[in-house]
Amino acid sequence: MTRLIFLGPPGAGKGTQAKTLADHQHVPHVSTGDILRQALSNQTRLGIKAQSYMDKGELVPDILVQEMVQERLNQLDAKYGWILDGFPRTVKQAVFLEELLEQLDQSGERVVSLEVPDEIVIGRLLARGRQDDNEQVIRRRLEVYRAETAPLINYYRDRQKLLTVNGNQSQEEVTNELQKIIA
């Protein structure tokens, strides 16, 4: 069964690789961004709660994001595997996820960290041409990522669940390396 958690800085290719691998493995690609957008669009109870924070320019609290992930992993299509993208982002969220997976009898997850040098990530993100992607903003996002995720990488390394993949290769090479890992 495929149960993977993708970690990596913005622009590392997590979303692209998670979607490709999920399609290949016939498991859902569970992206917290997609879950949030869908909850907002469908005006679910959790979506309405999240909207109230977003309208004030605040981050959606962990507890709401955790509830959304719990709701999604409880769906039938996620019973036999999934690829998580964008969650967990902190050790606190990782502890929650570990407890949730135990409750759902879905242990055995592995964590893939896509490693890409900052200068490559900056180049990739600038090439996207989004208005909010300027070098100063990107560097700040990388600082935040490193501060939040370094402890998370150590958390999973200590549990022998961490696999590191060089994300500074062609998309096909990264996909091939990931497929070898889960074979």
Side-chain angles (χ1 to χ4, degrees):
M1 268 181 260
T2 303
R3 292 189 179 113
L4 292 176
I5 298 166
F6 272 66
L7 302 177
K14 294 182 304 295
T16 300
Q17 291 298 336
K19 175 144 184 39
T20 300
L21 211 52
D23 290 346
H24 183 265
Q25 293 293 312
H26 308 290
V27 297
H29 168 213
V30 179
S31 157
T32 50
D34 290 348
I35 291 171
L36 184 57
R37 282 185 287 279
Q38 189 172 5
L40 293 171
S41 172
N42 295 340
Q43 288 292 290
T44 65
R45 177 184 64 82
L46 294 174
I48 291 167
K49 279 186 178 179
Q51 185 73 55
S52 69
Y53 289 95
M54 295 168 68
D55 287 346
K56 297 177 208 162
E58 297 174 9
L59 290 175
V60 178
D62 274 0
I63 190 73
L64 278 181
V65 175
Q66 290 170 189
E67 282 185 57
M68 289 179 185
V69 169
Q70 181 172 0
E71 196 173 85
R72 180 63 185 96
L73 293 183
N74 265 307
Q75 293 175 9
L76 191 58
D77 69 336
K79 185 174 182 174
Y80 299 107
W82 38 258
I83 297 178
L84 265 178
D85 167 19
F87 187 88
R89 289 186 187 258
T90 64
V91 171
K92 182 180 175 188
Q93 290 179 350
V95 170
F96 164 82
L97 181 61
E98 199 170 276
E99 291 169 359
L100 173 63
L101 295 177
E102 201 171 291
Q103 287 173 14
L104 297 174
D105 196 24
Q106 291 190 14
S107 58
E109 78 282 3
R110 290 177 286 173
V111 180
V112 175
S113 178
L114 289 177
E115 301 291 323
V116 182
D118 285 358
E119 295 310 312
I120 300 297
V121 165
I122 291 167
R124 287 180 183 178
L125 293 176
L126 288 173
R128 293 193 311 198
R130 292 186 188 169
Q131 281 185 330
D132 61 338
D133 281 347
N134 66 58
E135 190 169 340
Q136 184 179 354
V137 169
I138 293 167
R139 286 191 185 280
R140 178 65 187 133
R141 286 171 59 201
L142 287 170
E143 285 174 23
V144 170
Y145 169 77
R146 302 268 184 254
E148 289 181 352
T149 309
L152 193 55
I153 287 173
N154 291 334
Y155 176 86
Y156 284 118
R157 184 178 290 126
D158 290 348
R159 284 158 179 72
Q160 284 86 45
K161 292 184 179 187
L162 186 71
L163 307 164
T164 303
V165 173
N166 176 4
N168 189 20
Q169 310 175 69
S170 74
Q171 188 174 327
E172 295 77 21
E173 289 171 315
V174 174
T175 301
N176 288 339
E177 198 170 324
L178 288 167
Q179 287 176 340
K180 286 178 192 169
I181 284 173
I182 63 169

